[in-house]
Amino acid sequence: MYLDKLRKNLFVDINYPKHITDLIGSAEPWREFCKLPLETKKKFEFMNHQEGADPGYRFRSKAEGREDKEYFHAYPNILELAKKDGNTALVEETPALKNFFEYATAVQRAAYNFALDIGKEMGKELPGLANLIEKGELRSVLRLLHYTNDTSTDVIAEQHFDRSLYTLHLYESGPGLQFLNWDMQWMDAPIDIGKTVIFNGYRMEQLTGGDLQKTWHRVIREDGVKDRLSMVLFVWTSAV
């Protein structure tokens, strides 16, 4: 079911389990984290702990040739990394941090389990896929994104493809995600409360010998909206 739609449309929208819808909510813990002083947020860059791929907080700006944004890569071990950096007390004593770390850990776990269920369904046509996803569990990352208030451009994330196996689009504060279809036209992603959108990454194209093509996508700015928050889960297989 999923693979036919991924071949035809390059994405598929499916209903969430209700517990994930309820868990994600309005992403308030991520909003509150973003309001913290930059100096505080940078304490969680985890620059000395490259476990997984690029864990923790990052701030980017157009001065670096990138979009104006900040993001956080949440793996199951983010509280352990905070402890290694001596920041456990800071997390425990700061409600916004404590709520965020608990929230990000819970969302990552629930979304990964859901992604694995999807992988098992895909595995009926791609034998061994679920096993590869399970082996890559510690590489599958929740990315929490905040595009900041630069309004100088209508495209806030230029067209690109993800390098993962597939991506689960979990949350966005407003419309803007678009996919490039087979006719080379941009179309709005069918985002709705209680639904997620799955789309192909480069690893899926590699794994299927090009049968499933990577999905080019971008994010445009909604009229009058300065900031935009979103969450995605990048699903990875084992490294081999």
Side-chain angles (χ1 to χ4, degrees):
M1 176 182 67
Y2 296 137
L3 296 188
D4 286 343
K5 291 183 177 179
L6 287 171
R7 288 188 188 96
K8 181 179 178 181
N9 301 325
L10 300 172
F11 69 90
V12 57
D13 59 313
I14 60 175
N15 292 327
Y16 274 136
K18 186 176 184 299
H19 73 276
I20 296 183
T21 303
D22 294 342
L23 175 62
I24 291 174
S26 61
E28 191 61 29
W30 173 229
R31 295 174 190 271
E32 293 304 309
F33 179 91
C34 292
K35 293 177 183 177
L36 292 170
L38 184 60
E39 176 183 346
T40 298
K41 292 183 285 190
K42 281 182 169 289
K43 291 181 182 293
F44 302 97
E45 290 181 323
F46 304 142
M47 297 301 291
N48 298 319
H49 310 296
Q50 293 302 313
E51 301 176 25
D54 196 25
Y57 177 78
R58 300 291 184 273
F59 178 82
R60 300 289 184 249
S61 71
K62 278 197 170 59
E64 302 170 314
R66 309 187 185 194
E67 303 96 349
D68 283 323
K69 66 183 179 184
E70 58 185 340
Y71 64 87
F72 194 103
H73 279 173
Y75 293 86
N77 63 344
I78 53 174
L79 280 170
E80 296 173 20
L81 298 184
K83 182 178 181 180
K84 286 183 178 180
D85 281 349
N87 286 321
T88 298
L90 177 62
V91 171
E92 291 295 323
E93 295 166 3
T94 309
L97 286 174
K98 182 175 174 63
N99 290 341
F100 169 72
F101 272 80
E102 290 176 352
Y103 175 80
T105 301
V107 172
Q108 195 277 341
R109 170 54 48 194
Y112 170 78
N113 288 336
F114 183 42
L116 180 58
D117 288 341
I118 294 169
K120 289 177 180 178
E121 181 65 30
M122 292 182 182
K124 294 176 182 178
E125 189 172 336
L126 294 174
L129 182 65
N131 184 51
L132 287 173
I133 294 172
E134 286 181 313
K135 288 182 177 179
E137 177 179 358
L138 296 181
R139 303 180 70 212
S140 293
V141 58
L142 175 71
R143 172 180 277 190
L144 303 103
L145 265 165
H146 173 215
Y147 293 103
T148 52
N149 59 2
D150 176 16
T151 58
S152 63
T153 177
D154 292 332
V155 178
I156 56 178
E158 298 290 343
Q159 66 182 56
H160 64 284
F161 58 84
D162 297 336
R163 305 199 70 82
S164 54
L165 181 68
Y166 53 90
T167 300
L168 270 66
H169 191 283
L170 299 169
Y171 171 83
E172 62 180 2
S173 57
L177 177 65
Q178 294 186 326
F179 297 124
L180 189 65
N181 66 21
W182 290 111
D183 296 322
M184 304 303 290
Q185 296 175 330
W186 289 106
M187 59 180 298
D188 294 334
I191 304 298
D192 198 4
I193 295 175
K195 284 191 173 184
T196 185
V197 175
I198 307 166
F199 50 97
N200 302 321
Y202 180 60
R203 176 69 173 132
M204 181 67 86
E205 183 175 305
Q206 285 183 313
L207 195 65
T208 63
D211 179 38
L212 295 172
Q213 293 286 307
K214 58 185 177 288
T215 306
W216 288 88
H217 53 286
R218 69 179 183 178
V219 180
I220 62 171
R221 188 178 302 281
E222 187 181 9
D223 288 345
V225 176
K226 293 183 177 181
D227 291 11
R228 185 180 192 277
L229 279 72
S230 65
M231 284 188 285
V232 301
L233 182 80
F234 297 127
V235 180
W236 281 93
T237 64
S238 56
V240 294

